[in-house]
């Protein structure tokens, strides 16, 4: 079995699982954000429940405030200890990695499509729906329909100004979507991709429609988890005779910055240099979200914006993935550099990523973003267009006022 | 109990129908009743005024791609009797099943119907038929364990019956 199959089998009553099986599993960690159902009478594992506020923080509407209040009541009612109130808040996928809740070999659930983010931690996780989350909350169990797995082998090292974000734009540009399929990441090139980069790639796997996107437990991950893991864990490694539906090999050294065009991700990316020749004017540049709202993303943006100014007629918004990230980015001077260049740095929230608050787009505006989604209407008006690029591509485009290859600034 | 077959008037949709079209961003925090008003408002303005209880959605590849927004609950709320799509996004399918919405993956189904024709579907065997032309397609039914969730009317019904949720 491959690593994904081994985690599934290990959490079920089946000795072996194969593509096509519906596997009933016991869940290790349950994450729930933004609201608590008042009608829940009993829950399965209060100690392994992580509750937090993330999508619209602090509440911009009475409706959001009421939802937040219901969550606090839920926390109180069941005596939940793993709770991140406003003030300690962050985006769920960012927090579960940084705080050591998403652990190798385990199964984590969360009613959010980017839950596959935790695959970077060798943790089996995919997005769940709201009502099945309720089922897991109550009974601690769920099911997965196991699909075939693609082995992605990364070789070599990324060139300057090309990032893991570009890798995860390149793959759907070349191979389309992976609906109903899993991705398992392999290859010596992984040694050159840190946990932040893996989190970006695992998160954006949702846009490839992948079921699971699992990274290996290796030295890079082991070091990251030292002193961070909340509970003991048992990593999952593929068997030597593991089966894969196909193998895709990517030579990292040959990649260029990749921009995804508006609307969808599969079969929809272009090299940044190619698209920069079109002179596409942008109104808003955004860096943030569970994909690219970490300190390393602030560092990249600050490096590009240092001593430069954001183009007249363009606004730039940077939103950290958690309070801790914001604190660190302030300490390291990145926030000041971004603000000197004319960017707005906000409080941690999902915010503009899903057009929730703090940076919506007007009719006919164009945005380039390092957040997660480019659907019609995702970041505001359905008449706006959303392009996606790495934080470096976003920052370079903000300076130029048009979509720009960060190598050309 | 949800029956193993449904018959209804067809609404046709293409590939990659995403969650944000079903529940637009501005409607995410609304109640389900309010959300129903905004389904497909970006791609098919006015559709919610024309759709009738019992109607069927026929769609292309990767139906329900996107977020965790519960598209199943919306279609259920609008009285849609079932969805037949070329293929489903994993999370989209989960939400349909868990809301008790009969769902059938069926490659090539778009070729069988014109909009407004009547579909006869057995989502437990995979048989799809155009009542007017007699044209057929055959899908792969979801596994039995998942059919049972749909038949029970979705997971919330199961939980309520078993005493995990307060009675309505
Ligand atoms: S940052 Fe965006 S993609 Fe990530 S959880 Fe929030 S809304 Fe979803």
């Amino acid at each position: 079995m491959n690593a994904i199959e081994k985690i599934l089998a290990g959490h079920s009553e089946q000795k072996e699982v194969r593509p096509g099986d519906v596997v009933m599993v016991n869940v290790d960690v349950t994450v729930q954000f933004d609201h608590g159902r008042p009608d829940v009478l009993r829950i399965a594992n209060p100690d392994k429940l992580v509750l937090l506020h993330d999508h619209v923080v602090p509440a911009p509407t009475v409706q959001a405030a009421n939802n937040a209040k219901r969550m606090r009541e839920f926390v109180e009612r069941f005596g939940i200890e793993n709770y991140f109130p406003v003030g300690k808040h962050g985006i769920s996928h960012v927090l579960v990695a940084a705080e050591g809740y998403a652990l190798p070999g385990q199964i984590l659930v969360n009613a959010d499509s980017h839950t596959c983010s935790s695959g970077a931690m060798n943790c089996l996780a995919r997005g769940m729906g709201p009502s099945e989350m309720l089922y897991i909350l109550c009974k601690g169990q769920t099911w997965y329909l196991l699909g075939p797995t693609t082995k992605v082998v990364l070789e070599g090292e990324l060139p300057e100004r090309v990032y893991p974000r570009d890798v995860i734009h390149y793959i759907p540009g070349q191979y389309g979507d992976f609906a109903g399929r899993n991705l398992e990441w392999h290859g010596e090139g992984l040694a050159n991709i840190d946990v932040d980069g893996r989190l970006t790639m695992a998160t954006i796997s949702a846009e490839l429609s992948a079921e699971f996107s699992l990274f290996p437990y290796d030295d890079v991950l082991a070091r990251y988890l030292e002193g961070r893991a909340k509970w003991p864990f048992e990593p999952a490694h593929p068997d030597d005779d593991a089966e894969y539906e196909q193998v895709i090999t990517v030579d990292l050294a040959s990649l260029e910055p990749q921009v995804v065009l508006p609307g969808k991700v599969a079969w929809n990316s272009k090299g940044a240099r190619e698209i920069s020749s079109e002179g596409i004017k942008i109104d808003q540049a955004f860096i943030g979200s569970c994909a690219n709202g970490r300190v390393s993303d602030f560092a990249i943006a600050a490096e590009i914006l240092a001593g430069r100014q954001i183009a007249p007629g363009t606004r730039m918004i940077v939103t950290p993935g958690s309070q801790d990230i914001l604190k660190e980015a302030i300490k390291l001077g990145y926030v000041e550099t971004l603000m000197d260049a004319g960017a707005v740095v906000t409080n941690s929230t999902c915010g503009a990523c899903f057009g929730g608050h703090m940076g919506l787009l007007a009719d006919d505006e164009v945005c380039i973003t390092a957040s997660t989604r480019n659907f019609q209407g995702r970041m505001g008006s359905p008449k706006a267009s959303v392009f996606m690029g790495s934080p470096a591509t976003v920052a370079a485009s903000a300076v130029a006022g048009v979509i720009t290859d960060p190598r050309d600034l | 109990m949800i029956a193993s077959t449904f018959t209804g008037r067809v609404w046709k949709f293409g590939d990659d129908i995403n969650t944000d079209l079903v529940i637009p961003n501005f409607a995410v925090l609304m109640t389900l009743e309010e959300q129903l008003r905004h389904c497909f408002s970006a791609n098919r303005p006015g559709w919610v005024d024309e759709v009738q209880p019992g109607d069927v959605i026929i769609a292309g590849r990767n139906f329900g791609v996107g977020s965790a927004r519960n598209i199943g609950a919306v279609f259920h709320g609008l009285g849609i009797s079932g969805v037949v799509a070329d293929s489903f996004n994993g999370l989209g399918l989960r939400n349909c099943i868990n809301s008790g919405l009969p769902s059938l993956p069926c490659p090539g189904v778009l070729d069988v119907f014109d909009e407004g024709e009547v579909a006869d579907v057995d989502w437990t065997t995979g048989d799809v038929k155009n009542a007017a032309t007699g044209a057929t397609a055959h899908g792969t039914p979801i596994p039995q364990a998942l059919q049972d969730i749909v038949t029970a009317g979705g997971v919330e019904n199961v939980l309520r019956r078993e005493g995990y949720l307060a009675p309505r």
Side-chain angles (χ1 to χ4, degrees):
Chain A
M1 291 185 286
N2 61 45
I4 291 165
E5 292 163 351
K6 282 173 81 171
I7 297 177
L8 285 176
H11 285 74
S12 76
E13 285 175 357
Q14 285 169 253
K15 265 213 185 65
E16 210 167 329
V17 297
R18 57 186 75 240
D21 286 356
V22 174
V23 190
M24 299 290 174
V25 297
N26 292 315
V27 169
D28 294 303
V29 185
T30 304
V31 184
Q32 174 97 49
F33 57 85
D34 289 354
H35 78 299
R37 290 264 301 237
D39 56 347
V40 174
L41 302 177
R42 299 185 271 148
I43 61 176
N45 296 309
D47 300 343
K48 291 285 187 80
L49 178 60
V50 181
L51 298 179
L52 51 94
H53 305 269
D54 68 0
H55 271 60
V56 278
V57 180
T61 62
V62 173
Q63 197 150 30
N66 281 331
N67 285 346
K69 184 174 161 205
R70 276 194 282 277
M71 166 154 284
R72 288 193 301 274
E73 287 163 1
F74 190 97
V75 167
E76 191 97 322
R77 193 147 53 93
F78 290 103
I80 303 302
E81 280 177 9
N82 299 304
Y83 170 57
F84 294 84
V86 174
K88 302 247 180 275
H89 61 279
I91 301 169
S92 64
H93 317 302
V94 173
L95 281 185
V96 295
E99 300 288 327
Y101 292 107
L103 293 171
Q106 302 203 344
I107 294 181
L108 176 146
V109 298
N110 181 349
D112 185 90
S113 54
H114 292 94
T115 303
C116 47
S117 173
S118 291
M121 316 302 289
N122 188 245
C123 177
L124 202 69
R126 58 145 300 137
M128 310 295 272
S131 39
E132 59 191 338
M133 276 300 293
L134 205 55
Y135 190 88
I136 299 162
L137 197 64
C138 295
K139 302 183 89 154
Q141 290 177 328
T142 191
W143 53 271
Y144 294 109
L145 180 51
L146 175 59
T149 301
T150 295
K151 177 178 184 174
V152 190
V153 181
L154 303 182
E155 287 176 349
E157 205 166 339
L158 288 168
E160 220 185 316
R161 295 255 187 271
V162 185
Y163 302 88
R165 179 77 195 214
D166 296 303
V167 180
I168 201 67
H169 285 177
Y170 168 81
I171 291 174
Q174 294 295 310
Y175 300 95
D177 71 64
F178 292 82
R181 303 181 142 70
N182 310 306
L183 298 172
E184 213 176 89
W185 301 88
H186 292 250
E188 32 89 22
L190 275 175
N192 307 315
I193 297 185
D194 64 10
V195 170
D196 281 9
R198 296 175 188 195
L199 285 162
T200 299
M201 292 169 65
T203 301
I204 300 299
S205 298
E207 305 318 304
L208 281 57
S209 280
E211 292 285 301
F212 298 111
S213 179
L214 195 79
F215 283 74
Y217 180 76
D218 59 2
D219 292 346
V220 174
L221 180 54
R223 271 197 305 276
Y224 182 87
L225 284 168
E226 256 168 49
R228 195 186 297 258
K230 277 276 181 301
W231 299 297
F233 60 87
E234 188 80 43
H237 302 286
D239 292 329
D240 291 337
D241 61 352
E243 283 177 22
Y244 298 94
E245 183 190 34
Q246 60 170 340
V247 179
I248 292 174
T249 302
V250 179
D251 172 18
L252 297 177
S254 71
L255 296 190
E256 299 202 292
Q258 298 283 315
V259 169
V260 181
L261 312 184
K264 60 172 192 158
V265 173
W267 307 116
N268 204 28
S269 16
K270 261 194 190 172
R273 192 163 279 159
E274 188 191 345
I275 197 170
S276 66
S277 67
E278 296 172 29
I280 298 171
K281 199 190 154 313
I282 56 164
D283 301 285
Q284 178 165 310
F286 179 64
I287 296 177
S289 86
C290 50
N292 284 94
R294 296 186 176 79
V295 177
S296 49
D297 301 307
F298 272 78
I300 293 165
E303 184 199 329
I304 288 179
L305 291 180
R308 294 194 169 104
Q309 285 296 308
I310 285 156
T314 301
R315 58 184 182 271
M316 181 165 184
I317 299 167
V318 184
T319 296
S322 72
Q323 281 277 82
D324 281 353
I325 290 169
L326 178 56
K327 250 170 38 190
E328 187 71 11
I330 291 172
K331 203 165 84 195
L332 294 169
Y334 299 148
V335 171
E336 192 174 340
T337 304
L338 298 180
M339 290 177 73
D340 284 346
V344 176
V345 178
T346 77
N347 151 68
S348 169
T349 178
C350 291
C353 169
F354 78 110
H357 66 152
M358 294 210 284
L360 274 69
L361 302 174
D363 292 350
D364 305 316
E365 283 196 326
V366 176
C367 175
I368 184 153
T369 185
S371 56
T372 60
R373 232 164 229 166
N374 58 348
F375 293 166
Q376 185 185 5
R378 169 73 178 183
M379 298 183 72
S381 166
K383 292 188 187 140
S385 311
V386 178
F387 291 80
M388 300 204 293
S390 74
T393 302
V394 172
S397 303
V399 170
V402 292
I403 296 180
T404 297
D405 187 319
R407 298 170 302 177
D408 295 338
L409 196 64
Chain B
M1 289 286 282
I2 305 286
S4 63
T5 59
F6 58 83
T7 298
R9 179 173 62 138
V10 163
W11 294 96
K12 272 178 88 165
F13 290 87
D15 292 341
D16 300 306
I17 293 299
N18 69 56
T19 52
D20 299 31
L21 295 174
V22 180
I23 305 175
N25 300 324
F26 63 83
V28 166
L29 293 176
M30 294 179 179
T31 63
L32 178 63
E33 283 63 36
E34 292 166 330
Q35 284 175 345
L36 299 183
R37 298 292 316 145
H38 305 291
C39 181
F40 294 142
S41 55
N43 56 329
R44 271 199 174 190
W47 182 73
V48 290
D49 298 321
E50 293 178 53
V51 68
Q52 299 285 334
D55 286 356
V56 174
I57 289 178
I58 303 284
R61 269 181 54 78
N62 209 11
F63 185 78
V65 58
S67 73
R69 297 174 198 180
N70 195 346
I71 61 170
V74 169
F75 294 137
H76 198 267
L78 288 169
I80 295 295
S81 59
V83 180
V84 186
D86 217 83
S87 66
F88 284 78
N89 167 272
L91 184 48
L93 180 64
R94 296 183 80 94
N95 275 327
C96 290
I97 291 170
N98 287 313
S99 304
L101 185 73
S103 307
L104 177 66
C106 180
V109 69
L110 280 176
D111 300 335
V112 176
F113 298 99
D114 283 327
E115 186 146 297
E117 290 179 333
V118 171
D120 273 327
V121 178
D122 186 328
W123 60 279
T124 63
T125 62
D127 290 324
V128 176
K129 192 171 159 194
N130 184 321
T133 66
T136 59
H138 194 77
T140 309
I142 56 174
Q144 187 62 48
L146 308 187
Q147 290 185 22
D148 292 345
I149 296 173
V150 175
T151 305
V155 293
E156 291 205 22
N157 275 345
V158 174
L159 291 173
R160 200 160 278 120
R161 214 175 315 149
E162 294 180 5
Y164 288 96
L165 294 183
R168 253 204 257 274

